[in-house]
Amino acid sequence: MALAPAVLCGPARAAAPACPIVYFDLGETLVHTAEDGGIGYRPGADSYLRELRERHIRVGLITNVPSAWGATDAERAARLKREVDATWHGSTPFAWQDFGDRILTPRTEAERKPAPALWQRAKAGSDGCRVVHQAETAEEVRAASAVGFVPYQVGRPHRPAFLPVRLVELLGDRHHSPA
């Protein structure tokens, strides 16, 4: 039986946003770029996002795009959406609506991952919730961990494709303030 987010965060947190927040890298974590240049969900990614949505767990993206794509995260995110949608394969469109304004992109080339800037910005906007980062490279999960994220490397053999949702929910039981 799934617990409501307010229960997971404790009675005193009932009016606060659901915790934790799960951030993802985009390329080769949630989506795959095919040899023909098309983009589509990686196996299990669409159902995983749907399960997080059904459990009211907020999600975000921390992704490298050219800083020249815009002056703000919103402008760079809009360009990213256009680029992805233009070559999207599959009957289920990418779930952009799930991410809201939690699509963080580098403001300058110096902010590109694995520099800590994007993770620091995500943590600063986390409302004191625990933050998770899921990515396909060990370098990114190490960088996220160094900033205080709960890291998970996707695509590893003999492990779940993504951090199991029940474990993500349990992180909400351990609400804490940002460092």
Side-chain angles (χ1 to χ4, degrees), residues 89-103:
H89 289 187
S91 58
T92 305
F94 189 76
W96 294 113
Q97 71 283 356
D98 291 356
F99 297 91
D101 63 353
R102 290 177 303 279
I103 300 175

Side-chain angles (χ1 to χ4, degrees), residues 82-95:
R82 287 192 305 273
E83 296 287 331
V84 169
D85 291 348
T87 57
W88 188 257
H89 289 187
S91 58
T92 305
F94 189 76

Side-chain angles (χ1 to χ4, degrees), residues 61-140:
L61 291 175
I62 294 176
T63 189
N64 282 338
V65 300
S67 57
W69 279 10
T72 66
D73 278 319
E75 289 176 6
R76 291 184 297 275
R79 171 77 182 268
L80 174 64
K81 291 173 189 178
R82 287 192 305 273
E83 296 287 331
V84 169
D85 291 348
T87 57
W88 188 257
H89 289 187
S91 58
T92 305
F94 189 76
W96 294 113
Q97 71 283 356
D98 291 356
F99 297 91
D101 63 353
R102 290 177 303 279
I103 300 175
L104 302 178
T105 59
R107 295 172 180 156
T108 65
E109 293 305 301
E111 281 191 1
R112 292 178 69 81
K113 296 180 296 178
L118 296 175
W119 289 291
Q120 290 168 338
R121 286 173 41 209
K123 191 166 183 184
S126 71
D127 300 321
C129 291
R130 283 187 167 252
V131 283
V132 175
H133 185 70
Q134 299 190 54
E136 81 283 3
T137 68
E139 180 181 40
E140 280 198 29

